[in-house]
Amino acid sequence: NFIGKVRSYKNTGLIQNMTFDSLNVSKSTAITNNDDRSVFSYNSWIDVVFDETSATNIFQPLTNYDELTDNNISNNNLYGYITYDVLSSVSKFRDSFSTSIRNYKLGTKHKIFSDYIGDSGKFSEYFRPNSTKFQNLGWKWSKSSSVGSFVTFSRNQASDFVGFLFPIIAPVLKGKELKVSARYDGGVLNLQNPLEEVGNRDTDKLEPNRYTMVQFDLVDSDLVENNYVGRSSNYNPRPMELPILHFGNLNVISKKIVYPTLNTIITNTIEASYLPVYKNINHILTPNKTKTEYFFNKRDLMMNFRGSGDSGKEISEFVIDNLSFYEIDMVPFFKYFTNENINRSVQAPLVSKRSYVRENLYAYRFIELTPKFDRIERSQYLSDTYDNIGLPGLSSELWVESSDITPFDIFYDPPPNVVVPAPPSGGGGGGIIDQWPDPPNNNQAEPGGWTWVDEDEYSPRPPGGYREYSAMPATYIQSLYE
């Protein structure tokens, strides 16, 4: 008797029709900063299960020209591993490269609008390596110009490869699949309008800012190593390990880097570590036969094949089937943060509050003002008239009922200051207190019987900013103007 095994995946939770705002409070962007902790500081996050075998790629709206493929390409604006727990949402994210905020439709409950490959992706018709027949079925390819690089697309045996510098040893293909061989920087597979009839294929041009999905079966692969390792040099002594197979979505960027010891500035390729999650999916290593990635603003297939090992010097071979490129109406919600991108600072409302006020100037405590970094307008708490204790400009609404004599902080534009002399007996030196209109005694405060509060309560803010003042108990302030 045969005993089989069945594996099923279950959601840990389901969210549907969600409106989500990630609330990135950072003011820094990837233009000037490559540290994700500075670029992304989120006030909102979702604790769900993420699948690290697939990713959502949100490309930047700005595009660059790729000379090899004659295509428009973009770097990733946002990137992360997908979750199946969000079925549908309208989610708001700030850009990585700017402070603009954009809405995206994120979820797994997508609909397919168009198929830009159709039956060509089943590779059911025979064609010779890199032949006109292959082009007529709607494919085009671009080979890297770097020395020794090649890429070959075929449906036949290894012995049919003729004219290359390096022998290719591979098993015979027995099914209707696409075989790809590549070395060094290899090349890129893209789409063009077919010259032969291809069923179930949409030939319209893919518009910008659309949601797409690429899916294929990796039937087999023959590799010496599982990564492509970039070329090393004096300027790049630790080259990056990158996927051999990708879709033009590598999270790497070009930056001008100063090398003081070499007295030069070099444009180097570095990891896009401004993204909280930036390690690309290596489809060679993921366990599922069917591989899937999701995109926003992707304009063409851009399926890259390279050699493996140092500079891709080892030949890579792949057997691929059921290649599809769909336009869909949303892409999955994704892991846009790590624990280091969660804003753990104390949060406060952006308004000021105060307790219930009574008209009793000698029963006071403190006024609750939050946050301290926000300005409280002078007109809100100060007036230009004398109140009933003879203290000019200090409104009675500043005092609330209490038997304490705790000082409290207020912020406002400081007019010229009045020098406060030292207390009659001990307790520290003089300090600064704000001058209200028309103080008595020619700006010289008269010390009377009062309780001194430490001079450190008077702490000036940086030039051009606001000053922080501590309002004293009423008996203290009144004594200054008696």
Side-chain angles (χ1 to χ4, degrees):
N1 294 330
F2 176 76
I3 299 177
K5 181 185 292 185
V6 176
R7 176 181 295 174
S8 64
Y9 297 91
K10 295 183 179 180
N11 297 84
T12 56
L14 289 177
I15 303 172
Q16 186 169 260
N17 301 328
M18 174 179 66
T19 300
F20 178 77
D21 190 343
S22 60
L23 296 175
N24 180 13
V25 297
S26 170
K27 301 301 181 184
S28 179
T29 71
I31 300 298
T32 58
N33 200 316
N34 205 40
D35 185 349
D36 66 284
R37 295 168 298 180
S38 298
V39 178
F40 296 103
S41 181
Y42 291 110
N43 272 0
S44 297
W45 64 94
I46 298 179
D47 186 11
V48 292
V49 176
F50 296 99
D51 178 7
E52 296 188 5
T53 68
S54 184
T56 288
N57 303 257
I58 306 293
F59 283 175
Q60 296 180 12
L62 304 176
T63 57
N64 301 313
Y65 176 71
D66 181 59
E67 293 184 359
L68 176 62
T69 61
D70 192 29
N71 271 349
N72 291 320
I73 58 174
S74 295
N75 290 328
N76 262 324
N77 180 14
L78 302 166
Y79 176 87
Y81 309 131
I82 70 169
T83 179
Y84 302 100
D85 293 347
V86 178
L87 296 182
S88 61
S89 75
V90 175
S91 299
K92 185 180 296 184
F93 289 91
R94 202 209 74 179
D95 290 339
S96 60
F97 64 94
S98 77
T99 56
S100 297
I101 298 174
R102 306 176 196 273
N103 290 330
Y104 301 98
K105 294 180 64 178
L106 303 179
T108 56
K109 194 179 176 180
H110 63 258
K111 297 178 181 178
I112 295 177
F113 290 152
S114 301
D115 184 347
Y116 290 97
I117 296 179
D119 293 344
S120 293
K122 297 178 181 179
F123 308 106
S124 56
E125 294 192 43
Y126 175 82
F127 54 86
R128 293 186 62 81
N130 292 3
S131 63
T132 301
K133 174 70 172 179
F134 187 56
Q135 292 177 308
N136 291 345
L137 293 173
W139 302 101
K140 69 175 181 178
W141 66 92
S142 306
K143 182 182 77 68
S144 172
S145 59
S146 62
V147 177
S149 295
F150 71 81
V151 63
T152 306
F153 303 94
S154 67
R155 274 191 73 241
N156 58 333
Q157 300 180 27
S159 59
D160 289 331
F161 285 88
V162 180
F164 291 106
L165 296 176
F166 310 99
I168 299 175
I169 302 174
V172 176
L173 290 176
K174 297 181 179 180
K176 299 177 180 180
E177 303 97 3
L178 173 69
K179 179 179 178 181
V180 184
S181 301
R183 194 181 189 195
Y184 287 108
D185 290 328
V188 185
L189 180 63
N190 270 315
L191 306 174
Q192 63 181 5
N193 286 335
L195 298 180
E196 299 184 15
E197 183 176 352
V198 176
N200 303 309
R201 179 165 179 153
D202 192 327
T203 58
D204 290 341
K205 183 178 178 61
L206 180 60
E207 297 297 326
N209 300 325
R210 300 296 178 92
Y211 301 96
T212 54
M213 174 179 71
V214 178
Q215 192 171 70
F216 67 98
D217 291 342
L218 183 59
V219 180
D220 197 5
S221 62
D222 185 11
L223 307 168
V224 176
E225 297 187 38
N226 293 323
N227 290 288
Y228 170 95
V229 183
R231 292 177 174 84
S232 61
S233 66
N234 290 334
Y235 309 118
N236 192 20
R238 297 180 180 177
M240 293 172 288
E241 292 188 353
L242 300 169
I244 298 170
L245 188 160
H246 64 87
F247 295 95
N249 60 324
L250 293 181
N251 291 319
V252 297
I253 55 175
S254 295
K255 284 283 188 180
K256 290 183 177 180
I257 301 176
V258 178
Y259 294 88
T261 57
L262 301 173
N263 194 27
T264 187
I265 299 176
I266 298 295
T267 299
N268 210 347
T269 300
I270 61 175
E271 293 177 322
S273 55
Y274 63 84
L275 296 169
V277 177
Y278 63 87
K279 293 295 184 182
N280 286 97
I281 302 292
N282 189 339
H283 292 294
I284 304 301
L285 300 178
T286 55
N288 298 334
K289 176 183 176 182
T290 301
K291 319 292 183 176
T292 309
E293 281 211 53
Y294 300 88
F295 300 88
F296 173 79
N297 199 34
K298 186 175 178 61
R299 307 295 298 278
D300 207 336
L301 181 62
M302 294 293 290
M303 194 171 187
N304 286 249
F305 299 92
R306 299 191 287 190
S308 67
D310 292 340
S311 303
K313 66 181 181 180
E314 305 293 344
I315 296 174
S316 300
E317 294 191 337
F318 310 89
V319 179
I320 290 172
D321 201 8
N322 300 318
L323 177 58
S324 302
F325 184 30
Y326 299 116
E327 181 183 344
I328 54 181
D329 64 339
M330 67 179 71
V331 292
F333 199 92
F334 57 95
K335 186 177 183 179
Y336 61 92
F337 67 93
T338 65
N339 288 338
E340 292 183 339
N341 303 109
I342 296 173
N343 182 16
R344 300 179 186 277
S345 62
V346 176
Q347 301 297 291
L350 297 178
V351 296
S352 298
K353 301 182 299 182
R354 63 182 175 86
S355 304
Y356 175 75
V357 175
R358 292 186 58 182
E359 294 292 331
N360 183 348
L361 292 174
Y362 296 97
Y364 47 81
R365 188 181 177 187
F366 61 89
I367 206 165
E368 182 184 0
L369 306 177
T370 57
K372 292 188 69 175
F373 51 80
D374 272 8
R375 173 181 175 181
I376 298 173
E377 297 292 339
R378 178 182 178 86
S379 59
Q380 183 177 355
Y381 289 101
L382 301 177
S383 67
D384 293 330
T385 60
Y386 289 74
D387 59 33
N388 58 5
I389 63 167
L391 180 60
L394 185 60
S395 170
S396 60
E397 68 176 347
L398 283 172
W399 305 101
V400 296
E401 183 174 89
S402 174
S403 59
D404 298 334
I405 57 170
T406 306
F408 58 88
D409 295 331
I410 58 175
F411 299 82
Y412 50 91
D413 289 322
N417 298 315
V418 175
V419 176
V420 180
S425 58
I432 302 294
I433 192 167
D434 192 33
Q435 173 185 328
W436 289 279
D438 303 316
N441 304 321
N442 296 319
N443 290 351
Q444 294 299 315
E446 295 285 340
W450 41 269
T451 302
W452 174 257
V453 178
D454 188 9
E455 65 179 351
D456 290 338
E457 297 293 346
Y458 307 103
S459 55
R461 285 182 174 269
Y466 305 111
R467 290 176 182 263
E468 178 179 328
Y469 294 86
S470 292
M472 303 300 124
T475 53
Y476 170 88
I477 299 178
Q478 184 183 16
S479 70
L480 295 177
Y481 291 94
E482 287 178 344

